[in-house]
Amino acid sequence: MTTAHNTTPQYPFTAVVGMDDLRLALLLNAVSPAVGGVLVRGEKGTAKSTAVRALASLMPPVDVVGGCRFACAPAAPDPGCPDGPHQAAAAEERPTRMVELPVGASEDRLVGALDIERALSEGVKAFEPGLLADAHRGILYVDEVNLLHDHLVDLLLDAAAMGASYVEREGVSVRHAARFLLVGTMNPEEGELRPQLLDRFGLTVEVAASREPDERVAVVRRRLAYDADPAGFTAGWAAEEDALRARITAARELLPRVTLGDGALRQIAATCAAFEVDGMRADIVMARTATALAAWAGRSDVLEEDVRQAALLALPHRRRRNPFDAPGLDEDKLDRTLEEFGADDGADGDDDPEPDGPDGGPDGGGPDGGGQPPQDGQDGGPQESSAAQSPELPHQQERESAEGPDRPQEQPAAPEQSPEGAPAAGGEKAAVGATEPFKTRRLDVPGLGEGADGRRSRARTAHGRTTGARRPHGALGKLHLAATVQAAAPHQRARGRHGRGLVVRRDDLREAVREGREGNLVLFVVDASGSMAARKRMSAVKGAVLSLLLDAYQRRDKIGMITFRGTGAELALPPTSSVEAGAARLEQLPTGGRTPLSEGLLKAHEVLRVERMRDASRRPLLVVVTDGRATGGPEPVARAARAARLLAGEGTASVVVDCEAGPVRLGLAGELARDLQGTAVTLDELRADSVSALVRTVQGNRKAA
């Protein structure tokens, strides 16, 4: 869908309170779309979507060929446009489009669809454009981009890399240009992005709700004023919007004349090398961003401050080496690198840091926009910006603030560490750190599922190897050409076929049945009792669970975590796509007390029951991490066995990670696995590189007791 037909005025960009980094990143992309888009990370309810949607109204209009569905430019139309060729076509001016890609969109909705029946019978490329065609020369916005299905992510990657979209159906192909500004928003608590897509975003910013009461008051006042009278509120900010729009236009005109000197380019290369980013895309994005920053400030030369700001926006999401590491940049290291490689930057030209006046811009506005209103917590009406506003960029001004969105104190604090085995409050033992994670063997669910695309268990999917053909249910998916021809062939004489064409009817069409992999719900049930803390085993146990969490991240699973100790069990992490949240809960996990194994299993049964109602197609995999002891509650052993058989009776696939250690082993974890009708593996066998390990598939209720 697009916003072009919305009758309610869009919330003004200049009325957005705070979020200086986000506004700057969006404006830089408005100045230079070649920067490559923005990924906005932040907690829910922080106006991420509001700011992004408001950007479209600031973008200059575009000239298009009249009647062209693919927004061809009259001066240089696409020679391969499906609506072409365009010869002496009339030009039309229209606003820049912002197209929204729903998370649940189909492949045909994204790239468009061919009428296969007409293509086979008439040789006509009857093509219905998709969202990529609508977004050409505009903005493609993906809310909750981290929840986008893998096959849609692949299509976005291809289009972003080639600047074109291809739709192919068994030898029939349509291509059209698809160059767009990609903007995505996401809540990191719901899971991270694939590294390939993450790298496609030019810039990234972290946003969080302000902790300043005055700023929060300003947000509420402006929002209430907008909701009460959208047209009146928007009209009150019209002058500010016009000034900001004019500044964008001026910066665009200046951009081709901005000089990126050898000194600045050397600083960019040295910074990317110092932070060990992969590939060369970071260098290119930094160069484009620094150039856009200079144009935005009204300068024709790139200065060190531009390079620094570009690094803060372009590198944090590219330097991550581990899925559990929070994105960020060591600013002290950045400053040292810039200082080391900036001594001979005289080639950058100008010694005057303010060639266009103290405001650093052509219109006297602040760094975030022409006439950007001060965030003073007063009413929502527009106000004059001070002409003496500091030229420093907002990221530089606020990075040292303890209220910044990526400060460590905003994360849940881990309990205070103490020597392993030392008692903490309440008689429990303090949390211990995990050993280094390792690559685990794949544990999967038996049978053939139909869940969300992933990389764990076998499933019928829209992508994968072809295993057969069937009549389409609803819209035709991937055509199975041989089966279609075979179905149509016996009827050619009766249909009066003449010439070389094949007479194909809709009833003849067959779609391919494909088999790929699905993501599962991996529910961890972790024993945190005193017996697990004995012999200093908990570090190894946490390392194993952390390794399984990393494996779940790579296989696109949802995860949940239950812990049991003392007298009961706790849902430490409700099922989520955020593996980082699971790692954080694991790090804080203390141990101690008795072993209420049955309570942990019964809690797992309840969680899985609720999740089946929410998403029946996502099959669960239960991973119980324990030494098999059961000491909590009445008849603990018998009760644990009954709970295990209850899970097995419902067909829950399970694996028991046996954490028992020492020369004398009781084999209790193996007995638990038999009750669960699952598989038991030791910590050593869990490693993919273990010589003694065999490839193990969870047998679920198929395994004989």
Side-chain angles (χ1 to χ4, degrees):
M1 60 175 290
T2 68
T3 59
H5 304 293
N6 190 354
T7 57
T8 303
Q10 188 61 253
Y11 191 92
F13 188 89
T14 49
V16 174
V17 178
M19 299 197 297
D20 293 336
D21 289 345
L22 171 58
R23 290 181 295 159
L24 179 61
L26 292 172
L27 290 169
L28 291 176
N29 276 275
V31 172
S32 176
V35 166
V38 186
L39 175 64
V40 188
R41 299 165 46 94
E43 59 198 25
K44 54 185 177 294
T46 50
K48 301 186 297 293
S49 299
T50 298
V52 172
R53 292 189 176 102
L55 176 68
S57 63
L58 296 175
M59 300 287 283
V62 295
D63 291 329
V64 299
V65 172
C68 178
R69 298 173 296 167
F70 302 89
C72 281
D78 180 7
C81 176
D83 284 355
H86 302 298
Q87 296 176 351
E92 297 178 357
E93 185 179 88
R94 75 175 189 200
T96 297
R97 286 179 176 174
M98 190 187 77
V99 177
E100 295 191 39
L101 171 60
V103 170
S106 66
E107 179 178 333
D108 286 348
R109 184 73 186 98
L110 177 62
V111 301
L114 283 172
D115 188 331
I116 300 299
E117 185 176 358
R118 291 188 63 192
L120 288 176
S121 59
E122 303 174 30
V124 176
K125 295 182 180 179
F127 180 67
E128 183 65 28
L131 296 178
L132 289 179
D134 291 341
H136 179 48
R137 303 177 65 201
I139 303 171
L140 181 63
Y141 171 49
V142 189
D143 194 14
E144 306 294 349
V145 64
N146 51 323
L147 303 183
L148 200 63
H149 288 301
D150 272 4
H151 67 285
L152 297 183
V153 170
D154 293 335
L155 293 170
L156 274 182
L157 289 174
D158 290 342
M162 298 184 293
S165 175
Y166 291 84
V167 182
E168 298 186 4
R169 294 291 188 273
E170 304 297 343
V172 181
S173 176
V174 171
R175 171 211 167 274
H176 64 83
R179 292 182 294 274
F180 47 82
L181 174 61
L182 182 61
V183 181
T185 57
M186 60 173 284
N187 183 349
E189 293 180 356
E190 296 173 339
E192 282 292 347
L193 275 176
R194 285 171 54 184
Q196 294 94 330
L197 182 57
L198 193 65
D199 190 49
R200 288 294 177 184
F201 287 96
L203 310 179
T204 185
V205 292
E206 298 272 346
V207 297
S210 172
R211 302 296 184 259
E212 291 293 331
D214 289 344
E215 194 165 298
R216 296 175 75 96
V217 167
V219 172
V220 174
R221 279 180 172 166
R222 293 182 186 182
R223 187 70 212 190
L224 293 178
Y226 171 77
D227 291 341
D229 182 11
F233 183 85
T234 303
W237 289 89
E240 306 294 327
E241 294 283 287
D242 289 342
L244 186 55
R245 195 175 292 111
R247 184 174 177 187
I248 293 173
T249 301
R252 280 192 167 196
E253 293 173 353
L254 177 60
L255 186 65
R257 303 194 301 273
V258 174
T259 301
L260 179 64
D262 291 342
L265 192 55
R266 190 163 179 260
Q267 286 183 318
I268 290 171
T271 301
C272 292
F275 285 99
E276 300 180 354
V277 298
D278 294 330
M280 295 297 297
R281 184 173 284 115
D283 303 64
I284 296 170
V285 171
M286 269 192 69
R288 290 171 174 167
T289 305
T291 304
L293 281 162
W296 181 244
R299 288 185 268 99
S300 58
D301 293 294
V302 174
L303 304 181
E304 181 176 311
E305 66 189 61
D306 301 322
V307 176
R308 186 182 195 277
Q309 182 69 35
L312 293 172
L313 292 172
L315 295 189
H317 61 303
R318 291 187 165 90
R319 62 164 298 273
R320 297 180 62 194
R321 314 306 296 178
N322 188 299
F324 303 134
D325 292 339
L329 216 60
D330 184 339
E331 295 193 40
D332 290 337
K333 180 178 179 180
L334 173 61
D335 290 335
R336 290 194 301 269
T337 303
L338 293 176
E339 182 178 358
E340 178 182 354
F341 290 90
D344 59 343
D345 62 353
D348 284 345
D350 214 331
D351 292 328
D352 182 5
E354 297 179 352
D356 292 291
D359 55 27
D363 61 356
D368 294 307
Q372 178 69 25
Q375 312 302 338
D376 54 6
Q378 302 304 314
D379 65 27
Q383 301 181 24
E384 292 285 337
S385 293
S386 170
Q389 188 170 353
S390 169
E392 292 296 318
L393 293 165
H395 204 122
Q396 294 168 308
Q397 292 172 330
E398 298 183 2
R399 178 62 66 173
E400 302 302 323
S401 168
E403 304 300 332
D406 55 353
R407 305 298 292 183
Q409 55 264 41
E410 296 226 355
Q411 303 298 325
E416 197 168 318
Q417 298 282 319
S418 61
E420 187 174 354
E428 60 185 34
K429 298 182 185 300
V432 297
T435 58
E436 284 296 316
F438 52 84
K439 182 175 177 60
T440 66
R441 292 193 172 275
R442 188 180 71 217
L443 305 170
D444 55 20
V445 179
L448 197 61
E450 295 184 347
D453 286 347
R455 299 184 179 88
R456 185 172 296 279
S457 304
R458 293 174 56 224
R460 295 187 183 93
T461 61
H463 300 81
R465 64 185 181 90
T466 301
T467 59
R470 67 181 179 187
R471 292 180 182 271
H473 303 294
L476 176 68
K478 182 71 173 178
L479 179 75
H480 195 297
L481 182 59
T484 299
V485 172
Q486 187 177 14
H491 309 291
Q492 295 306 295
R493 180 173 297 179
R495 294 173 183 174
R497 172 188 171 187
H498 297 287
R500 301 174 60 184
L502 186 68
V503 182
V504 179
R505 304 281 171 81
R506 180 158 294 277
D507 288 344
D508 301 327
L509 298 180
R510 299 292 185 269
E511 66 180 5
V513 175
R514 294 174 172 270
E515 182 178 312
R517 295 270 172 190
E518 68 177 358
N520 298 107
L521 167 61
V522 182
L523 182 61
F524 294 92
V525 180
V526 181
D527 186 348
S529 64
S531 65
M532 295 290 287
R535 302 187 183 95
K536 298 184 178 182
R537 281 183 289 150
M538 202 59 195
S539 289
V541 170
K542 284 188 175 183
V545 177
L546 190 65
S547 302
L548 290 167
L549 284 171
L550 178 59
D551 182 68
Y553 166 81
Q554 294 169 339
R555 300 190 188 280
R556 308 292 288 176
D557 295 317
K558 288 183 67 175
I559 60 135
M561 185 181 298
I562 293 169
T563 61
F564 60 93
R565 63 187 179 88
T567 59
E570 174 190 6
L571 181 58
L573 181 69
T576 176
S577 297
S578 176
V579 179
E580 289 82 358
R585 301 293 193 280
L586 182 69
E587 181 181 356
Q588 301 166 29
L589 180 64
T591 58
R594 302 181 72 81
T595 312
L597 176 58
S598 60
E599 297 303 320
L601 297 176
L602 291 173
K603 188 72 172 179
H605 177 267
E606 176 63 19
V607 170
L608 293 178
R609 183 185 68 82
V610 173
E611 288 302 309
R612 283 191 187 98
M613 291 189 292
R614 290 177 176 170
D615 186 359
S617 65
R618 187 178 287 270
R619 298 187 295 163
L621 173 61
L622 182 68
V623 179
V624 185
V625 185
T626 181
D627 57 9
R629 288 184 172 85
T631 60
E635 299 183 340
V637 177
R639 195 160 185 259
R642 289 196 296 270
R645 289 193 288 269
L646 176 64
L647 286 161
E650 294 187 346
T652 303
S654 59
V655 60
V656 178
V657 179
D658 184 359
C659 302
E660 191 173 28
V664 179
R665 296 175 180 262
L666 302 178
L668 299 176
E671 293 181 12
L672 175 62
R674 285 191 288 274
D675 288 330
L676 286 167
Q677 297 184 15
T679 300
V681 296
T682 65
L683 289 176
D684 287 339
E685 291 172 337
L686 194 61
R687 292 178 177 269
D689 56 357
S690 173
V691 175
S692 62
L694 301 175
V695 176
R696 295 177 180 267
T697 300
V698 181
Q699 295 299 320
N701 58 0
R702 291 187 177 184
K703 183 175 179 179

